[in-house]
Amino acid sequence: MTTRCGFVAIVGAPNAGKSTLLNRMAGAKLSIVSPKAQTTRFRVLGILMRGTSQILLVDTPGIFKPRRRLDRAMVAAAWTGAEDADITLLLIDARRGLCETVRPIVEQLARTRRRVWLVLNKTDLVDRQALLPLTASLSGLLDVEHVYMVSARSGDGVDDLLDALGAAVPEGPYLYPEDDLTDLPDRLLAAELVREQIFLQTHEEVPYAATAETESFREQPDGSVRIEVTIYVARAGHKAILIGEKGSRIRAIGERARKDLSRLLGRTCHLFLNVKERAGWDEEKARLRAIGLDDAS
């Protein structure tokens, strides 16, 4: 029996739906999702079996013009994911089309001369007649092997894309056990699910000025796990917002993150959150390493 295994990177502008597509393809929540742009901060690997093929899906941060050390590390992680892949999926929000955030990504991919498949996402939200001109414009700037039209939210077109990827990845042995879902450590998953709730339950600048780190992850005698996560925020005002009146907001964040984590890990989780003010955390090398990013000077 011939087996296949290969890396498939999902790249695109912020909020194109990369994490939603990864989760849809993997059939599990591996990458956090929110309506806000720049939610994903580091490479997330989803391990998917399709027939006799193992597809290693790499969700990358949205590519944008960086300003902080954190931003530079995120963009570097995105391009590293693309460079290491056998196939790169260029994910485009079909509603926004070839906008100013997409054009530099297309131009960079054109210079790399890598295998690129064009995937138009959110096609259920646009007039189908607008998709052909968009495809022609993108294909004129970049040599793409295939074009797929999908809705990551509803799943339309995703099975066809997966079947094609399963047939296209290189022949070779599996790199991970067949029942693995991701290579992310449970500690990092815990911190990410807390950060997802920060994005979903707070507004304005708070999600971008906060990070979460797992300080302790201890197995309990009854098979459950006790997890302590610290949330670092840039300003005292952000700390007050996260805690909420009489601790209501931080309790809600912890409760929803705990339920998601228990479901993902398949066991009871006891989650304890602490909020600390730490100005300039997004410029600290140690903080970036703690959240899974290599330093980008």
Side-chain angles (χ1 to χ4, degrees):
M1 182 178 64
T2 301
T3 61
R4 294 178 176 271
C5 182
F7 287 90
V8 177
I10 308 172
V11 303
N15 227 20
K18 296 179 296 298
S19 297
T20 302
L21 180 61
L22 171 77
N23 292 342
R24 170 68 65 176
M25 294 167 88
K29 178 187 281 190
L30 303 179
S31 192
I32 68 173
V33 176
S34 89
K36 301 180 177 71
Q38 299 169 29
T39 304
T40 301
R41 285 181 176 166
F42 57 88
R43 181 195 69 83
V44 177
L45 181 70
I47 302 164
L48 172 67
M49 298 303 302
R50 197 73 172 179
T52 59
S53 297
Q54 187 174 74
I55 305 170
L56 306 175
L57 298 166
V58 183
D59 181 24
T60 62
I63 299 171
F64 59 101
K65 188 174 182 179
R67 292 176 297 175
R68 305 169 294 172
R69 184 189 293 271
L70 170 64
D71 298 338
R72 293 191 294 274
M74 288 165 60
V75 172
W79 284 120
T80 298
E83 290 167 3
D84 293 341
D86 297 292
I87 298 171
T88 297
L89 301 183
L90 172 59
L91 193 67
I92 302 292
D93 182 338
R95 298 175 304 174
R96 297 179 181 176
L98 187 56
C99 59
E100 67 278 1
T101 57
V102 169
R103 191 173 291 272
I105 300 171
V106 172
E107 293 171 351
Q108 177 66 20
L109 284 174
R111 288 192 290 270
T112 62
R113 298 184 179 275
R114 305 193 67 81
R115 295 181 66 186
V116 177
W117 293 13
L118 175 61
V119 181
L120 301 182
N121 188 29
K122 308 181 186 180
T123 55
D124 55 330
L125 303 177
V126 298
D127 186 339
R128 286 274 173 171
Q129 293 183 344
L131 297 176
L132 290 179
L134 174 58
T135 300
S137 297
L138 288 162
S139 299
L141 297 172
L142 175 68
D143 184 20
V144 298
E145 286 190 9
H146 301 288
V147 178
Y148 287 87
M149 300 182 184
V150 307
S151 168
R153 181 180 58 85
S154 70
D156 289 347
V158 173
D159 279 339
D160 290 340
L161 175 59
L162 282 171
D163 287 340
L165 287 171
V169 293
E171 290 186 8
Y174 300 150
L175 297 180
Y176 293 89
E178 294 180 47
D179 57 352
D180 278 7
L181 285 176
T182 183
D183 67 341
L184 286 184
D186 290 347
R187 296 173 63 96
L188 200 49
L189 280 173
E192 279 295 277
L193 289 175
V194 169
R195 195 167 64 84
E196 178 180 47
Q197 289 303 318
I198 295 172
F199 267 84
L200 294 175
Q201 297 193 43
T202 62
H203 306 285
E204 305 301 332
E205 76 279 8
V206 175
Y208 300 101
T211 189
E213 294 180 25
T214 300
E215 305 287 353
S216 174
F217 194 103
R218 295 203 301 269
E219 307 282 346
Q220 303 296 96
D222 62 358
S224 66
V225 61
R226 188 183 195 279
I227 307 164
E228 297 177 15
V229 173
T230 296
I231 302 169
Y232 291 101
V233 294
R235 295 201 292 271
H238 296 157
K239 181 176 180 179
I241 292 171
L242 273 175
I243 293 174
E245 185 177 359
K246 297 182 180 179
S248 59
R249 176 66 56 73
I250 198 66
R251 282 197 301 272
I253 289 172
E255 179 65 16
R256 294 182 188 178
R258 182 192 61 77
K259 288 180 179 178
D260 285 343
L261 189 58
S262 295
R263 187 161 47 245
L264 190 58
L265 298 183
R267 56 177 165 165
T268 301
C269 296
H270 307 284
L271 181 62
F272 301 87
L273 303 182
N274 184 30
V275 184
K276 293 183 180 179
E277 180 187 351
R278 193 181 185 101
W281 68 263
D282 53 359
E283 294 288 344
E284 295 180 22
K285 294 182 180 180
R287 295 280 76 75
L288 300 188
R289 286 194 297 270
I291 62 174
L293 282 169
D294 292 327
D295 175 47
S297 300

